[in-house]
Amino acid sequence: MACILLDIDGVLHVSGEPIPGAAAAVAELRENGHSLRFVTNNSTRPRSRLAEELRAMGFTLENDELQTTPGAAARELSGKRVFALVMAAIVPDLDGLELVGEDAQAVLLGGCDETVEPNQVFSYMNLARAFEEIRLGASFYCLHKNKWWQTSRGPMLDAGAFVAGLEYATGVEATVLGKPSPSYFAAALDALDAEPELTWLVTDDAEADIRGARLFGMRTALVRTGKFRPEALDTTDTSPDMIVSSLAHFPALLEQELSGGSSQ
């Protein structure tokens, strides 16, 4: 049996609707005895809401089967004074952090959503404050370093641009807490008591996720949904083990792979 990390962006359309057959595919993977963990770089909605939204779409999962970046930040920065530029909705998931406006031990950047909130969160004054805190010695963290994210209106700029800007201005490289950082994958595998070589990551990200998972020693399956772009396969230096049209086709191909058949 295999352990499987399912990127939730790979099971949903950009509209937020589930990929046809995705919920049935998850149920089939469970019935076949595989261990599952849902993973996401979503940094705009709390874990409880994300899990409830997935259940409403027909997916069966418990809240603790969903691993999020705010949860990673809460574990990594527990007890520290943190200057956090994040969407307000995820603040409850940062339990154990002392959120401050100055004299911080750590600076934390989250991601953007489609509302006007990023205009306030990533304002010049807030970014200048983050710059000053890092210059004064605060550690620098980000929930992810995504360049862009796929929306119903098309690709939109994500907070990776602000992370890169602060790295340039301060000379300090941010510690990435979400995918594809080794610590994020390690936490997921620890939760499943799994070994990398027996674990698959299923994702729509041909660049960061596939490369990071392969470097960590995992097998990878790329779905042609969500943010997938065919041209990404021409520019990435790491190829997935398997490419599938959607998650709906993954269980059958996984069983074929595990039985020694070809995944092509």
Side-chain angles (χ1 to χ4, degrees):
M1 297 298 103
C3 295
I4 302 164
L5 307 184
L6 293 171
D7 178 8
I8 66 171
D9 288 336
V11 307
L12 304 176
H13 284 299
V14 296
S15 63
E17 295 300 314
I19 299 294
V26 170
E28 184 177 351
L29 291 169
R30 291 190 189 277
E31 290 168 3
N32 290 340
H34 304 301
S35 300
L36 304 184
R37 188 160 183 81
F38 294 80
V39 294
T40 179
N41 270 0
N42 185 290
S43 58
T44 63
R45 302 199 297 284
R47 183 175 73 164
S48 59
R49 188 191 305 171
L50 285 170
E52 185 57 41
E53 289 173 356
L54 289 170
R55 284 191 288 267
M57 296 174 191
F59 295 94
T60 301
L61 78 156
E62 300 297 328
N63 285 12
D64 61 7
E65 291 183 294
L66 175 57
Q67 182 170 309
T68 66
T69 52
R75 290 189 297 271
E76 180 72 21
L77 302 177
S78 178
K80 294 185 180 297
R81 298 189 308 277
V82 180
F83 180 72
L85 299 184
V86 300
M87 300 297 105
I90 68 165
V91 169
D93 282 0
L94 299 177
D95 186 46
L97 279 58
E98 181 184 352
L99 302 182
V100 299
E102 59 182 0
D103 191 27
Q105 295 171 294
V107 168
L108 174 66
L109 264 66
C112 301
D113 64 16
E114 292 187 69
T115 72
V116 298
E117 189 176 3
N119 294 341
Q120 287 79 47
V121 172
F122 299 109
S123 68
Y124 173 80
M125 291 303 297
N126 282 344
L127 290 170
R129 183 71 250 166
F131 165 78
E132 183 66 5
E133 293 296 328
I134 297 168
R135 193 186 67 81
L136 291 173
S139 302
F140 186 18
Y141 295 86
C142 59
L143 297 184
H144 59 71
K145 202 175 177 181
N146 294 357
K147 300 174 183 177
W148 59 277
W149 61 298
Q150 184 65 35
T151 75
S152 57
R153 293 182 289 168
M156 289 187 66
L157 182 71
D158 211 334
F162 305 123
V163 176
L166 284 172
E167 287 179 328
Y168 171 75
T170 63
V172 176
E173 184 176 354
T175 296
V176 180
L177 297 172
K179 298 186 286 97
S181 71
S183 62
Y184 190 85
F185 288 140
L189 267 61
D190 285 346
L192 294 176
D193 192 23
E195 298 296 328
E197 61 271 16
L198 300 177
T199 304
W200 286 77
L201 173 69
V202 183
T203 179
D204 64 347
D205 190 332
E207 298 173 293
D209 285 3
I210 294 294
R211 185 175 188 276
R214 290 296 299 273
L215 288 174
F216 197 72
M218 290 189 288
R219 308 294 299 280
T220 57
L222 178 67
V223 293
R224 293 177 177 269
T225 55
K227 71 182 293 184
F228 171 80
R229 294 291 185 275
E231 57 269 22
L233 294 173
D234 298 326
T235 58
T236 182
D237 60 357
T238 306
S239 300
D241 295 286
M242 181 188 299
I243 301 176
V244 295
S245 296
S246 78
L247 181 64
H249 301 104
F250 177 67
L253 290 173
L254 176 64
E255 296 310 311
Q256 183 178 327
E257 176 75 15
L258 295 177
S259 65
S262 171
S263 62
Q264 301 302 316

